[in-house]
């Protein structure tokens, strides 16, 4: 209930009062009141309208406390109008256009360019999806007080920001920012770089929920590509981790994939495949190539490499080059993959881990062992460390000196 209603109710309240602090506190108080009274009094016929009315009353109480007595009468007049509006809005089982606009304003506000991507992602999870501060802190591997302080700073930075709906190129830039936030949150769940978990399916699922909200509010090719990419990758979650251990794609039991989710993602991709290439679309097409292969050996690696070549032309980053090298190694052999790594610089453990794997497959056990050691020294994720140790220990014994 909370996560389903939080975002749209908060959007209505922010649109009305233009103050994030008042809206968030008022809505939290309303949910708390509901949790306290509904179990014994019974839930109202229209829970969302009840929550909105309760939140408004608490906000108005705060406004009254802040204002002088002379402002009381106008506030009461506003409340009467809002009550009528809330009953009208909540009586509509669909999503009214006005409400959709307010939700979009809230989503765009959370992706404001003044916020760092991590702060924008955390604030979006809190305000749009209603994820608790404690849960966000756990997802981002920081303490609850640290995350609370981060959210407070983010709110303060937005205190003077416009709640208006941008248009034209500015709207496109802000929507791209929202998609970046959603994919950042997804990546934090699907492939956390540190901590004990190799996968945090709950945060990945929340990011997908955000992508669905964005797609609902602002449909388009990029929104479809983003959702497709997330769905196809997320569909492998049950096969990617077995008994707490990381299982790489070639070794996964594909019967454990969520094929209905993959099919939904692939269906989104079909009408996009012949259109202009974008980084999101190409990443989704690469994920789709794995989804349609019944067995690892059925993967069309040359086509995957071609997608990476296109992606590299649009987004030449070390991560893209690293992933392309993996695909080249599969398509043309480990020596070709190693050649594709030449000159690449990338912090963290993933580059030496890929180099180690390719060296091992090329029969260079000693060099592979050294590369695995480099990867282990840079790896902060416990499950990935265990995986790297197993791979290193599976190599042939080191050659004796001399």
């Amino acid at each position: 209930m909370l996560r389903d209603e939080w975002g749209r109710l908060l959007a209505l309240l922010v649109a009305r009062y233009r103050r994030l602090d008042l809206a968030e506190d008022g809505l939290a108080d309303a949910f708390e009141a509901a949790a306290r009274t509904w179990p014994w009094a019974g839930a109202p016929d229209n829970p969302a309208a009840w929550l909105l009315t309760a939140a408004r009353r608490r906000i108005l109480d705060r406004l009254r406390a802040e204002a002088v007595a002379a402002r009381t009468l106008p506030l009461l007049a506003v409340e009467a109008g809002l009550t009528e509006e809330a009953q009208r809005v909540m009586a509509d089982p669909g999503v009214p256009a006005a409400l959709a606009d307010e939700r979009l304003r809230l989503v765009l506000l959370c992706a404001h360019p003044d916020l760092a991507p991590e702060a924008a992602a955390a604030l979006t999870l809190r305000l749009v999806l209603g994820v608790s501060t404690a849960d966000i802190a756990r997802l981002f591997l920081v303490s609850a007080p640290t995350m609370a302080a981060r959210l407070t700073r983010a709110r303060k930075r937005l205190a003077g920001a416009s709640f208006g709906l941008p248009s034209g190129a500015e709207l496109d830039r802000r929507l791209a920012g929202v998609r970046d936030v959603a994919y950042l949150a997804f990546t934090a769940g699907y492939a956390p770089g540190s901590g004990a978990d190799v996968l945090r399916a709950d945060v990945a699922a929340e990011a997908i929920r955000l992508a669905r909200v964005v797609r609902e509010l602002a449909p388009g090719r990029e929104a479809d590509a983003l959702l497709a990419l997330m769905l196809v990758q997320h569909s492998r979650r049950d096969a990617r981790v077995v008994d707490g251990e990381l299982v790489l794609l070639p070794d996964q039991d594909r019967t454990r994939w969520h094929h209905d989710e993959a099919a939904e993602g692939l269906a989104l991709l079909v009408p996009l495949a012949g259109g202009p290439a974008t980084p999101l679309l190409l990443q989704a097409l690469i994920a789709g190539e794995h989804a349609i292969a019944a067995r690892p050996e059925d993967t069309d690696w040359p086509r995957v490499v071609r997608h990476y070549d296109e992606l590299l032309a649009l987004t030449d980053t070390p991560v893209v080059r690293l992933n392309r090298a993996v695909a080249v190694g599969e398509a043309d052999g480990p020596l070709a993959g190693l050649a594709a790594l030449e000159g690449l610089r990338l912090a963290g453990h993933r580059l030496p881990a890929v180099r180690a794997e390719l060296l091992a497959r090329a029969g260079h056990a000693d060099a592979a062992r050294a590369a695995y050691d480099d990867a282990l020294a840079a790896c902060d994720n416990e499950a990935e460390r265990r995986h790297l140790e197993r791979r290193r220990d599976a190599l042939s014994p080191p050659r004796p000196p001399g």
Side-chain angles (χ1 to χ4, degrees):
M1 173 67 186
L2 188 152
R3 291 187 172 182
D4 288 343
E5 299 292 348
W6 178 276
R8 68 191 192 112
L9 294 180
L10 187 65
L12 277 175
L13 294 168
V14 174
R16 173 61 60 183
Y17 299 103
R18 296 295 196 270
R19 280 182 56 181
L20 272 176
D21 58 337
L22 280 181
E24 194 177 2
D25 290 348
L27 190 56
D29 287 348
F31 271 95
E32 181 183 1
R36 190 173 58 251
T37 59
W38 290 2
W40 60 267
D45 293 337
N46 191 333
W50 189 99
L51 288 165
L52 186 62
T53 300
R56 279 202 331 273
R57 286 174 176 161
R58 282 154 178 80
I59 292 171
L60 291 173
D61 286 343
R62 283 275 302 275
L63 289 172
R64 290 189 186 98
E66 293 176 359
V68 296
R71 296 175 58 186
T72 302
L73 286 177
L75 286 173
L76 289 175
V78 170
E79 183 178 16
L82 288 175
T83 300
E84 183 180 351
E85 179 190 359
Q87 290 171 348
R88 177 182 60 78
V89 169
M90 293 306 168
D92 187 344
V95 179
L99 177 55
D101 283 348
E102 301 309 338
R103 294 181 75 195
L104 180 57
R105 290 172 197 267
L106 181 63
V107 169
L108 294 175
L109 183 66
C110 292
H112 196 280
D114 283 353
L115 297 179
E118 293 79 6
L123 197 64
T124 303
L125 290 173
R126 178 73 194 100
L127 298 186
V128 179
L129 299 182
V131 181
S132 72
T133 300
D135 284 346
I136 299 172
R138 185 179 63 80
L139 298 174
F140 284 88
L141 300 175
V142 299
S143 68
T146 297
M147 180 51 69
R150 185 178 299 176
L151 290 169
T152 298
R153 287 195 297 272
R155 291 187 187 94
K156 287 181 178 178
R157 291 187 72 87
L158 294 181
S162 170
F163 197 59
L165 194 62
S167 59
E170 175 61 19
L171 177 60
D172 291 340
R173 281 194 292 271
R174 297 286 284 276
L175 286 172
V178 174
R179 289 191 290 270
D180 289 344
V181 163
Y183 196 52
L184 176 67
F186 178 80
T187 303
Y190 187 74
S194 59
D197 300 327
V198 68
L199 174 73
R200 295 201 290 272
D202 49 356
V203 70
E206 292 291 359
I208 289 175
R209 199 155 63 91
L210 174 59
R212 289 189 187 280
V213 170
V214 173
R215 181 171 176 266
E216 174 190 340
L217 298 174
R221 292 174 54 86
E222 287 295 88
D224 288 352
L226 174 64
L227 183 58
L229 171 61
M230 290 178 168
L231 285 170
V232 172
Q233 288 184 325
H234 196 53
S235 70
R236 306 180 202 137
R237 59 189 177 278
D238 288 349
R240 191 163 182 265
V241 182
V242 176
D243 297 329
E245 302 299 334
L246 172 67
V247 181
L248 296 183
L249 183 59
D251 303 319
Q252 290 176 6
D253 177 358
R254 300 187 178 210
T255 64
R256 296 171 67 104
W257 288 2
H258 293 253
H259 293 283
D260 55 336
E261 296 178 13
E264 182 185 357
L266 292 172
L268 288 169
L269 280 178
V270 169
L272 306 180
T278 67
L280 274 177
L281 175 59
L282 290 167
Q283 291 177 77
L285 290 173
I286 292 167
E289 290 293 339
H290 298 300
I292 62 177
R295 302 171 303 168
E297 54 268 35
D298 295 333
T299 306
D300 190 339
W301 286 108
R303 192 155 59 191
V304 173
V305 173
R306 289 198 295 273
H307 288 321
Y308 272 119
D309 288 340
E310 288 185 83
L311 183 57
L312 200 60
L314 295 176
T315 310
D316 188 351
T317 69
V319 172
V320 172
R321 287 187 174 274
L322 178 67
N323 292 335
R324 178 183 176 277
V326 173
V328 169
E330 295 291 345
D332 301 323
L335 293 179
L338 287 167
L341 290 178
E342 288 183 3
L344 182 59
R345 298 288 183 270
L346 180 64
H349 68 283
R350 302 200 190 281
L351 173 56
V354 168
R355 180 176 287 119
E357 189 69 24
L358 291 170
L359 286 167
R361 290 173 53 188
H364 304 302
D366 290 342
R369 187 174 295 102
Y372 277 126
D373 288 340
D374 292 342
L376 283 163
C379 184
D380 294 325
N381 184 280
E382 295 174 20
E384 291 200 53
R385 282 186 61 83
R386 292 194 297 273
H387 170 78
L388 292 169
E389 288 169 349
R390 286 195 301 273
R391 301 294 292 179
R392 182 192 59 185
D393 296 343
L395 294 169
S396 57
R399 295 176 181 174

